[in-house]
Amino acid sequence: MQHKFIFQGGNKQEYNTMACKNLEIDFIVQDDNPEMASVEGDIVANLEKIGIKVNTQFLNNTEYRDAEVNGDYHLLFTRSWGAPYDPHSYMASWGVPSHVEYSAIGNLQPPLTRESLVERIEKVQTELDETKIASEWRSIMEDVHMQSLFLPLWDTRIPYVLNRRLIGFTPASQAYSIPVQSIQVASGSKSVTIAPGVGALFSSTGPINPHQYSPNALWAQDWIYEGLVSYGQDGEIVPALATSWEVDPSPDGGQIATFQLRENVLFHDGTPFNCSAAVLNLDHVLSDVVRQRHQWFGAGKHLKSWTCNGESELVLETSSPFYPLLQELTYIRPLRFASPSAFAEGLDSDPDLHNSCESGDFGSKWDRLEDDVKCMGLSAPIGTGAFKFVSRNVAEDGSDDEVVFAGNDQYWGQKAGIETLTAVQYGSVEEVEAALMSGDLDMAMGIGPLNAKQVQELKFRHSDMFDVRHSDVIQHSLLVFNGNKAPMDDIAVRRAVIHAIDKATFIEEQFAGLEEPVTQLLPMSAPYCNVDLSPKWGYDLEKAELLCSQGTLQSAANPSEALSGGAIAGIVIAATVGVALIGLVARMIQRERAGKPLFAPAKNDIS
C-alpha cells in the first residue's frame, strides 16, 4: 500500500494514495466526436493516478442518447447549449428527464434538491427587474458550483474552414447554426460542397422537421426555416418574419406580444406566409399533448394564446411574465414555420389528428405521447429560408451520403450567392482533410468535420488555400458527473476526480492553442453569467488523493453512519485547535522553567 504525507497546520498527516483503488466508473463517449476521442485517454490516465478504474464506452449517437436519458453513466462529456440558450433554457432543461443533467442533479447536497433548484431556475425567468434577475442567477450559479457536478474543461469557438474561392463569410453568433447565406462565390462553380458538423461528423439531416429534435440536424433546419425574430451579433434580437413588435403587460398579469408580420413572403412551394400559417404551426407545436415534449422551452410553457388581427398581425399572450420570450423565439426549433401545404390536411390539419410530429421521433421518454396524438409528420421540408431542400442520396445503412440544397430565388432578404449546396458524408476527419486538400470539398464547417490540430494546420500552413475562421466563445465543454449513481453520489469522490484531471496540459497538447481552459460552467458572455465563482476546482493531485480517501471511507461505511462534510470539517477544526492548545501549554511550561514566563508584566520604557 502506498502512503504519502502532507503537512496541515504544522502537523504531519498520513493518507493512502491508492484509496480509490476499488472504485470503477463508466465514462460514456460518443464514437464519432473527435474532441471526445482526443482527450478520453488523458482523462483515463489522470484518474488511474488516484486508483480509479475507468471503463470507457464508445457509443453511437442512439446509444449515447439512451445512456444520457437513462442515467447509465458516471462520467459523460457534453457542452453547455451556448448562445442564445444559456443560462435559462439550458438550465431549465435540467428538470426534464430526457436530458443528461436531470440524472446528474438527482441527489444534491442538502439543503438543495433537484426540485428546489429547478423551481428557482423557472421562477427567476418570471422576474422582470434586472437587478433581481442578476442577483438570483448569481445565487443559482454559486449553489450549482458548490455541488461539484460539473468539470468545466475548455471554451468552445466554432471553427470554419473555407476554400478561398468563397468570400463574405460571417461566423455564427448562435450555437448549432452554420451560417452560409452570406457566402459569395468569387471564382469557379456556384455549386459548393460542405462537410457540416455540430459536435460530430455529418451522417444524416433527418427529416428536417422544424418542430422536433434528433434526428433532425439543427443546421439544416436553420437553412430552410425561419421564425418571427433572429439572434444577431452580441445577442441583439433582429427582425425575421416579423418586422416589428411590442411587448406589454396583460390585464391578467402576463404579457402580450404583438408582431407585425413581413408581407409578400413566400414559402418554397409558393404558398404565402401569413398569420394563418403562423397560427397553424403554433397550434401543432403547442398542442396540449405535444407541448409536453417541449418542457425545457419556457416560451412553450408560458404561452397561453396565439391569435390573428388580420393576416399581417400575430398576437401572443403569456400566462405570466417571462423575460426570455423574444430570445426564445429566435431558436432554431421548435417554433419555426413550415408551409401549410406540408401538413397532412393543409390549413385544416387538426393538432391532435394530423400533427406535424414525426412518428417515433419524440424520444424514448416521450413515446407515450403518441397514445394521445396522431403524428403525421410533414410531407416535405418546406420553409421560407434562404435555402430549400432538393434531394438526398441514402446509403445502405440509412444514413445520408449526400443532401442537396439550392438557393431560394424568391427569398425576401439577401439571396444566397451559392446556387447548389451539397452536404457530403465522410467516414473520418482524415477523409475530410484529404477532400479539402484535393479541392473536392469546399468547406468544413462547425465542430466535428476536423479536429483542432487539423484546423490549426490548415490555418497556419495552408493559408494560401483556405480561409480559417472562428466564432467567439459560444459554449463551454464539460464533464458531467452522475450524482445519482455511486460512487459519484459522494461529493468527496466528485471533487477528487475534479482535482485529479490535469485539463490544462491535455488541452494545450490536443487543441494546439485553439481552445483555452475554463473554470466556469457557462461562458462569461452569456446573460447573467459574468459571475466569478470560487473555489476554482483546479488540478491538485495531492488534494485529489486526500479527498478520494475521505470519500472512499464514507462510501464504504453505512450511509446512515457516514460523517457529513460539515462533521468532518468540525472534527478537523477541533483537532487543529486541540493540537494548538497542547503546544501553547508546553511552551508556557518550558518558559516558566527558564525563568521567562510567557505572560510576564511588560516593563515601562521611558528612554
Side-chain angles (χ1 to χ4, degrees):
M1 182 179 292
Q2 300 179 27
H3 293 266
K4 272 192 177 182
F5 298 94
I6 62 173
F7 290 85
Q8 293 187 341
N11 303 301
K12 186 170 74 172
Q13 297 186 4
E14 182 181 12
Y15 65 95
N16 175 17
T17 65
M18 295 299 287
C20 291
K21 66 182 179 180
N22 293 321
L23 297 185
E24 291 190 25
I25 61 175
D26 295 328
F27 185 15
I28 304 305
V29 178
Q30 197 168 350
D31 62 3
D32 59 354
N33 189 309
E35 282 193 333
M36 292 188 192
S38 68
V39 301
E40 177 270 336
D42 295 289
I43 292 170
V44 170
N46 285 168
L47 295 183
E48 283 179 349
K49 292 181 180 178
I50 58 172
I52 295 180
K53 180 181 178 181
V54 180
N55 302 313
T56 304
Q57 300 178 38
F58 290 93
L59 306 180
N60 63 36
N61 186 56
T62 300
E63 294 168 336
Y64 185 82
R65 282 285 197 188
D66 288 343
E68 282 187 311
V69 170
N70 297 322
D72 293 335
Y73 69 94
H74 291 106
L75 189 64
L76 185 144
F77 179 94
T78 190
R79 293 183 187 85
S80 68
W81 287 8
Y85 308 91
D86 294 343
H88 54 282
S89 291
Y90 171 56
M91 296 184 74
S93 76
W94 297 4
V96 183
S98 60
H99 293 272
V100 64
E101 292 83 4
Y102 180 84
S103 53
I105 65 171
N107 184 30
L108 298 175
Q109 298 293 303
L112 204 61
T113 66
R114 177 165 58 198
E115 292 71 26
S116 66
L117 175 60
V118 172
E119 182 180 1
R120 288 170 62 191
I121 291 168
E122 292 181 346
K123 184 177 180 181
V124 68
Q125 297 181 52
T126 64
E127 180 60 65
L128 298 180
D129 183 283
E130 284 288 330
T131 302
K132 292 180 180 178
I133 294 171
S135 175
E136 181 56 16
W137 273 123
R138 172 182 285 276
S139 176
I140 290 170
M141 298 290 180
E142 289 171 343
D143 287 349
V144 169
H145 183 73
M146 295 306 297
Q147 295 290 324
S148 303
L149 288 165
F150 301 89
L151 173 58
L153 294 173
W154 60 82
D155 56 20
T156 298
R157 298 186 300 143
I158 313 300
Y160 309 95
V161 178
L162 301 87
N163 188 293
R164 285 204 175 273
R165 76 184 192 88
L166 306 174
I167 60 174
F169 173 72
T170 302
S173 55
Q174 180 171 14
Y176 315 113
S177 171
I178 301 177
V180 293
Q181 180 181 342
S182 65
I183 294 174
Q184 300 295 313
V185 179
S187 64
S189 172
K190 290 194 175 184
S191 293
V192 174
T193 53
I194 181 173
V198 289
L201 287 162
F202 161 65
S203 61
S204 176
T205 63
I208 322 182
N209 185 320
H211 301 159
Q212 290 194 277
Y213 308 104
S214 181
N216 297 279
L218 281 147
W219 51 267
Q221 291 170 310
D222 191 39
W223 290 354
I224 290 176
Y225 302 102
E226 296 177 295
L228 295 170
V229 289
S230 294
Y231 190 76
Q233 196 70 30
D234 299 322
E236 181 185 6
I237 308 300
V238 297
L241 293 179
T243 57
S244 62
W245 52 89
E246 293 182 1
V247 181
D248 300 298
S250 71
D252 297 332
Q255 292 170 296
I256 295 176
T258 304
F259 294 88
Q260 303 304 315
L261 302 183
R262 192 177 297 278
E263 297 182 351
N264 302 316
V265 174
L266 298 177
F267 287 98
H268 299 153
D269 63 349
T271 302
F273 169 75
N274 53 31
C275 191
S276 294
V279 166
L280 172 67
N281 280 261
L282 286 158
D283 284 343
H284 283 244
V285 175
L286 300 180
S287 75
D288 290 341
V289 176
V290 175
R291 77 160 71 205
Q292 296 176 54
R293 178 60 183 90
H294 308 305
Q295 288 186 16
W296 66 272
F297 186 52
K301 283 186 176 182
H302 290 274
L303 283 171
K304 71 174 186 178
S305 70
W306 39 93
T307 56
C308 294
N309 284 336
E311 289 296 355
S312 61
E313 186 172 280
L314 173 67
V315 180
L316 306 181
E317 185 172 0
T318 66
S319 56
S320 57
F322 182 61
Y323 83 76
L325 176 62
L326 290 175
Q327 190 158 334
E328 294 206 357
L329 293 179
T330 69
Y331 293 177
I332 294 172
R333 59 193 186 198
L335 274 186
R336 291 203 178 179
F337 302 119
S339 172
S341 67
F343 288 72
E345 299 294 330
L347 281 169
D348 296 325
S349 298
D350 185 275
D352 294 325
L353 301 177
H354 322 107
N355 198 276
S356 62
C357 55
E358 304 283 343
S359 182
D361 282 359
F362 278 127
S364 58
K365 288 287 186 181
W366 307 98
D367 287 343
R368 58 181 174 78
L369 297 181
E370 290 201 52
D371 294 339
D372 300 310
V373 65
K374 181 71 171 177
C375 286
M376 302 293 287
L378 297 172
S379 62
I382 305 172
T384 61
F387 286 90
K388 55 188 179 183
F389 173 80
V390 176
S391 65
R392 73 175 78 232
N393 292 331
V394 180
E396 291 184 1
D397 62 1
S399 65
D400 294 330
D401 278 336
E402 293 184 346
V403 181
V404 182
F405 303 83
N408 177 12
D409 292 335
Q410 298 180 335
Y411 188 57
W412 59 265
Q414 178 188 357
K415 293 178 175 58
I418 298 172
E419 291 181 355
T420 303
L421 182 58
T422 303
V424 183
Q425 179 181 178
Y426 291 92
S428 68
V429 295
E430 290 76 20
E431 290 182 20
V432 173
E433 183 178 14
L436 284 168
M437 294 300 297
S438 70
D440 291 336
L441 178 65
D442 291 306
M443 301 185 289
M445 308 284 271
I447 297 173
L450 297 169
N451 63 39
K453 288 183 177 180
Q454 289 173 307
V455 172
Q456 296 295 73
E457 178 80 6
L458 293 172
K459 180 176 182 178
F460 293 112
R461 294 187 180 272
H462 300 284
S463 59
D464 58 326
M465 296 175 61
F466 301 106
D467 179 15
V468 179
R469 304 285 190 90
H470 299 90
S471 71
D472 293 334
V473 173
I474 287 184
Q475 298 167 292
H476 278 181
S477 295
L478 315 164
L479 286 180
V480 182
F481 307 137
N482 190 346
N484 207 29
K485 186 175 183 178
M488 302 305 285
D489 58 344
D490 186 333
I491 193 170
V493 173
R494 296 200 299 271
R495 290 181 177 174
V497 169
I498 288 173
H499 287 302
I501 294 177
D502 184 10
K503 62 186 178 185
T505 297
F506 65 69
I507 289 170
E508 181 179 357
E509 292 174 351
Q510 298 296 338
F511 294 99
L514 184 60
E515 315 292 11
E516 297 291 335
V518 293
T519 60
Q520 308 275 115
L521 175 65
L522 301 177
M524 288 279 197
S525 58
Y528 310 110
C529 294
N530 189 14
V531 178
D532 186 21
L533 300 172
S534 61
K536 299 301 183 186
W537 308 132
Y539 172 63
D540 187 330
L541 187 57
E542 289 195 342
K543 186 177 291 185
E545 290 165 335
L546 178 60
L547 283 166
C548 201
S549 176
Q550 294 174 351
T552 306
L553 292 172
Q554 292 182 59
S555 297
N558 183 332
S560 64
E561 298 173 359
L563 294 173
S564 68
I568 291 173
I571 292 172
V572 171
I573 292 170
T576 302
V577 171
V579 169
L581 287 173
I582 291 171
L584 177 62
V585 171
R587 189 181 177 200
M588 290 173 63
I589 294 172
Q590 185 180 24
R591 293 195 60 161
E592 287 286 348
R593 289 175 176 173
K596 299 177 180 180
L598 187 62
F599 299 113
K603 296 181 180 179
N604 291 326
D605 187 354
I606 58 174
S607 60

